[in-house]
Structure formats: structure tokens, C-alpha cells
Amino acid sequence: MRVEIWSDIACPWCYVGKARFEKALRDFPYRDEVEVVHRSFELDPGRAKDDIQPVITMLTKKYGMSPAQAEAGEDNLGAQAAAEGLDYRTRGRDHGSTFDMHRLLHFAKEHGRQEQLLDLLYRANFAEERTVFNDDERLVELATAAGLDAEAVRAVLADPGAYADEVRADEREAAQLGANGVPFFVLDRRYGVSGAQPAEVFAQALAQAYGEPAPLKAVGSGDADADACGPDGCAVPQL
């Protein structure tokens, strides 16, 4: 069975949702038969590489909230990340274009290191002090830590067209599947799971997709869509 996950490195719910999905996958009896493929989705497609701003500033502009409300939302997100065993810096992070990171993830996929690079990018963005935006050498360091060749990584970053088509193809496919936010999980093209659902929902979807051929169906927690990020930004949990 193949699970495709559309996500963005700038999306906190993608960071949390990945951990929740992996918790369900660890307990899935047929986990060794599951192939996980990560797909590209930019929350800010076309954003200039040097267009970087603090996360709190971005939240106040996008949602019209006060800085205190934005900080409270980040504190709540940090608590939810911690509940999944994830580190999360609630202050001092920034926000920018993730296009180059997605290009590198496609390069890493060719070399069997996509999962390793994605985890390092998430941690660098959400838990570490040094920025991942508009800093090619930072991306080189992370890619080499994932097992990729430094000079080959620099060559990809130096060529804006390298793997650009692959990123855009993923994004077009997401639109065709009806995904207008991330994270978005597609299980064997049978079931779709939108948002950072509880691990129990992912476990249900894995079981259903494994044993029941069917057209693509939505699987959710029942009451409402789970938290996700979309073109208009990320849902910010309030205290």
C-alpha cells in the first residue's frame, strides 16, 4: 500500500500530523507493506526567496489578531507538538519561501533520503534557532546530514529549474484531488485524510485502505476537519 502525504515545511500542522500518522503506522500490523511518499505543497507559492518575516508578524497580518493572541496560539501549538514528542520554538521563528526545500526533497527522493531530509527540515524550522529560509548553506548542511552529497546539493540549489517541474506537478495533483490545505494524506488512492487528525483516525484509515478497495473517500474525526494549513494560512489554536 502507498501513502502519499502532501505537506509544507512551513506548516506546523504538517509537523504535528506527520508524528501522529507515524504513531498509527508503528502499530499497524502490515506496516512493512506500506510505502510512504511525500509530495510538495507550498502555502505561499511564488513567494520571493528573500521575502522573510517573523512568524508572529505573519500571523498578526494574516489573521488580524493582536501580537498577544498570536503568541498564545504559538504557545498552544507548542503544547500540541510537545504532546507528540516534538520540540517547538514558540518565539523567534521566521517564515518564508519553501520552494527550494521542496526541490531538494525531490532530489533526496531520487537518492532514497527523502524521509531523512524532511525530518531534518521540520526540526530545523520548528525547533532550532538558525533560519532555513534564504540560507543555501544551511540547506546544504541539512541535506548532507541526511546523507546527500554537498556539491550535488549546491548544484541543485544553484539551478532554479532543477526539480521545479516535479514540485509543480505535485501541487497540480493536489488540486486535482481536491486538497486545498495540508497536511493531506492519500492512502492507496482509496482514502483521503485531511489535516492533523488524531492517530486513531489514521489507524482507521490504514485498516480501511488496506482491506477495502474503493474510490477515494474522506476519512475524518466526524465532527469537523482537523487542523490544517491552507493558502490563507494555518488555523491557529486559541487558549
Side-chain angles (χ1 to χ4, degrees), residues 174-211:
Q176 291 165 2
L177 290 170
N180 54 16
V182 285
F184 184 64
F185 302 76
V186 175
L187 293 83
D188 235 10
R189 296 297 168 113
R190 298 175 187 177
Y191 288 90
V193 181
S194 180
Q197 297 277 358
E200 294 79 8
V201 172
F202 288 121
Q204 174 196 357
L206 285 165
Q208 288 179 323
Y210 186 83

Side-chain angles (χ1 to χ4, degrees), residues 63-79:
Y63 292 99
M65 61 178 65
S66 70
Q69 288 173 319
E71 289 173 354
E74 280 291 282
D75 289 341
N76 201 331
L77 264 168

